[in-house]
Amino acid sequence: MRVLVLGSGVVGVTSAYYLAKKGFDVTVIDRQPAVGLETSYANAGQISPGYSAPWAAPGVPMKALKWIFQRHSPLALKPDWSLWQLEWTLKLLQNCNAKSYDLNKERMVRLAEYSRDCLSELRADAGIAYEARTQGTLQVFRTQKQLDAEAKDIAVLSRMGVPFEHLDPAGCVAVEPGLASVKDNLLGGLRLAHDETGDCQIFTTNLAKEAQKLGVKFRQDVTINCLLTHHGKLTGVEISTQNGAEVLEADQYVVALGSYSRELMQGLGLDIPVYPVKGYSLTVPIINSDVAPISTVMDETYKVAITRFDNRIRVGGMAELAGFDLSLNPRRRETLEMVLNGLFPNAGDTSQALFWTGLRPMTPDGTPIIGKASAIYNNVWLNTGHGTLGWTMACGSGQVLADLLANHQPAIQTDDLSLGRYAGSRYNKSADTTPAFNNRA
């Protein structure tokens, strides 16, 4: 059976790999010249199942109002004057209650823990390298209010059976010696020893090579012009290449276009709640490894993650609701530099850092959308909406998708990962149309 995967980020490539392992004939298309060059390119680098949590949480609306007026805010709103931005934000606010938070976090942790296990198995089977580290993640707290809020997350972790450690400042320094000089600024930390780190773009590149060994074909520098449908089935994807237009046909189609998935699905009459939440990162060369982080340290105050690679430090974070704007805001760089130099002074040379921004495809409840797109177009599948956790959830999402497409029972519960959890999500156009979709592959 032929499967066409749209998108060659980490989610698209892992989908292709696991589909090929199931015996499918897989082709991947993407507008970039190589795999992993958009959201997967310079993300925070953390694989943190235990810290998988929705942005929509109790207290966030009041925090957001305060953050808007802070210079180093973890959240920024830049109105694009679209109804879509307003609707998505309202849906997120509707999830900012204790019941929804617990439900959303539980299913996110379920998928993320499974994904970490899938990654471990893949790494053992394929011997894939990506500057991986397995020393865990440490979330550091600066205020008593943050320590008090930690209890809610610990309760969910306990229910999910995720091992954790609550550490005092001395304990934080024991696991991350580079924090010694700032120990007095910390009140404690939460450590998840089973979390991992790694360079997502290197992983995606090397996994694509493994997928090619299984027969997966990659078509890069491809632009999607439109989708072709007939009698309730997607029959082809018209693309443009340097050699002109052509139509790619398959039996099944997987949409893994991240933030651009929504516009494509609108062409089929389906409105999926995936919004581009802008994030930033710095990739900093290490100048003193003795005071650099060992693994990942998450600063709860500024919602910034600091991750150690071999000879580099990746500093990533912040959420900006600004549509598809990819401009680099120098104030965000200032915040990332401040957090790194504040926790690990003299560890890296920020003047030589690579400043980057990417669009995280985020749902209002934080959980990705994995499964069949519609009962009408039943050969179209979604694997999108992972938000800040695409790297954390990629392998598990790819395996789940491959199982579902092969009509095999997934290893974890998946019914609450589908689009069906959103009331009113349905096709509203004829199944016999040819919708347009321009310049987004």
Side-chain angles (χ1 to χ4, degrees):
M1 184 181 291
R2 299 167 302 165
V3 181
L4 183 63
V5 177
L6 283 59
S8 69
V10 67
V11 173
V13 172
T14 51
S15 298
Y17 175 82
Y18 284 107
L19 286 165
K21 293 279 282 185
K22 293 278 188 183
F24 291 102
D25 178 4
V26 184
T27 299
V28 180
I29 62 174
D30 195 278
R31 65 178 175 183
Q32 295 293 343
V35 303
L37 292 185
E38 293 203 23
T39 306
S40 304
Y41 183 70
N43 63 25
Q46 61 188 110
I47 303 166
S48 301
Y51 288 116
S52 299
W55 281 78
V60 163
M62 290 304 298
K63 288 180 182 178
L65 289 175
K66 296 177 182 177
W67 285 336
I68 288 174
F69 301 102
Q70 293 179 5
R71 181 171 184 81
H72 298 294
S73 170
L75 175 67
L77 175 61
K78 181 180 178 182
D80 61 9
W81 311 114
S82 69
L83 181 60
W84 166 232
Q85 186 187 59
L86 176 62
E87 290 176 344
W88 186 91
T89 303
L90 290 175
K91 288 179 182 177
L92 181 139
L93 292 174
Q94 289 170 2
N95 279 275
C96 291
N97 59 79
K99 182 179 179 181
S100 295
Y101 179 82
D102 286 350
L103 174 66
N104 295 332
K105 182 176 176 66
E106 211 159 319
R107 62 190 177 193
M108 291 170 73
V109 171
R110 180 206 318 147
L111 176 60
E113 286 282 320
Y114 174 61
S115 187
R116 195 256 323 280
D117 293 342
C118 290
L119 173 60
S120 179
E121 183 177 338
L122 186 157
R123 188 170 57 234
D125 289 347
I128 190 169
Y130 50 92
E131 298 191 22
R133 289 172 176 255
T134 57
Q135 289 99 327
T137 300
L138 174 66
Q139 183 180 21
V140 294
F141 306 115
R142 302 173 189 260
T143 69
Q144 186 60 46
K145 193 171 184 178
Q146 292 170 355
L147 282 175
D148 295 340
E150 175 196 13
K152 298 176 184 177
D153 284 335
I154 285 177
V156 176
L157 295 174
S158 297
R159 286 201 304 273
M160 298 295 293
V162 179
F164 63 87
E165 300 174 84
H166 174 76
L167 303 176
D168 60 13
C172 293
V173 173
V175 297
E176 285 286 355
L179 294 172
S181 65
V182 299
K183 180 180 69 172
D184 293 342
N185 297 330
L186 306 178
L187 292 187
L190 176 65
R191 181 175 183 249
L192 300 183
H194 291 179
D195 282 7
E196 304 180 7
T197 65
D199 188 308
C200 181
Q201 198 273 331
I202 294 176
F203 171 84
T204 306
T205 300
N206 289 337
L207 185 62
K209 295 175 183 176
E210 295 298 320
Q212 286 177 311
K213 294 177 185 178
L214 297 173
V216 176
K217 297 171 283 294
F218 287 85
R219 300 281 305 273
Q220 304 294 146
D221 280 319
V222 164
T223 299
I224 294 177
N225 295 327
C226 66
L227 305 179
L228 307 176
T229 65
H230 184 67
H231 293 311
K233 290 194 73 174
L234 182 60
T235 58
V237 178
E238 183 184 295
I239 63 170
S240 290
T241 69
Q242 293 179 346
N243 298 319
E246 63 179 286
V247 174
L248 299 180
E249 297 180 345
D251 302 299
Q252 304 287 334
Y253 300 83
V254 175
V255 178
L257 288 171
S259 296
Y260 299 99
S261 300
R262 176 176 180 263
E263 186 175 345
L264 180 62
M265 289 296 93
Q266 282 184 313
L268 294 179
L270 182 67
D271 191 13
I272 63 174
V274 174
Y275 186 86
V277 176
K278 188 177 181 180
Y280 294 85
S281 77
L282 288 177
T283 304
V284 185
I286 293 175
I287 57 176
N288 186 348
S289 60
D290 291 338
V291 295
I294 291 175
S295 189
T296 291
V297 174
M298 295 177 62
D299 189 321
E300 176 62 16
T301 301
Y302 300 102
K303 307 294 185 183
V304 168
I306 303 171
T307 297
R308 170 72 177 268
F309 295 152
D310 287 353
N311 301 305
R312 300 166 296 147
I313 300 170
R314 176 69 53 74
V315 190
M318 292 171 290
E320 202 170 277
L321 304 185
F324 288 90
D325 174 28
L326 283 169
S327 61
L328 288 166
N329 187 333
R331 289 183 61 177
R332 308 297 173 227
R333 177 172 186 144
E334 182 184 335
T335 298
L336 295 174
E337 290 182 352
M338 179 201 69
V339 174
L340 173 62
N341 292 327
L343 289 176
F344 296 96
N346 304 313
D349 183 358
T350 53
S351 69
Q352 299 298 315
L354 169 68
F355 187 33
W356 173 88
T357 188
L359 302 176
R360 311 173 182 118
M362 190 169 288
T363 62
D365 61 16
T367 309
I369 300 170
I370 307 171
K372 197 165 285 190
S374 164
I376 298 178
Y377 293 97
N378 61 10
N379 65 336
V380 182
W381 302 78
L382 297 172
N383 196 1
T384 188
H386 296 75
T388 60
L389 298 165
W391 181 203
T392 294
M393 295 180 171
C395 289
S397 298
Q399 179 68 76
V400 163
L401 179 83
D403 285 333
L404 291 172
L405 209 148
N407 202 27
H408 295 164
Q409 180 66 43
I412 61 171
Q413 177 188 347
T414 61
D415 60 317
D416 55 355
L417 303 180
S418 73
L419 188 60
R421 70 181 186 269
Y422 287 99
S425 295
R426 64 183 184 274
Y427 288 107
N428 52 33
K429 292 184 180 180
S430 167
D432 201 20
T433 60
T434 301
F437 177 73
N438 297 311
N439 199 30
R440 287 302 190 195

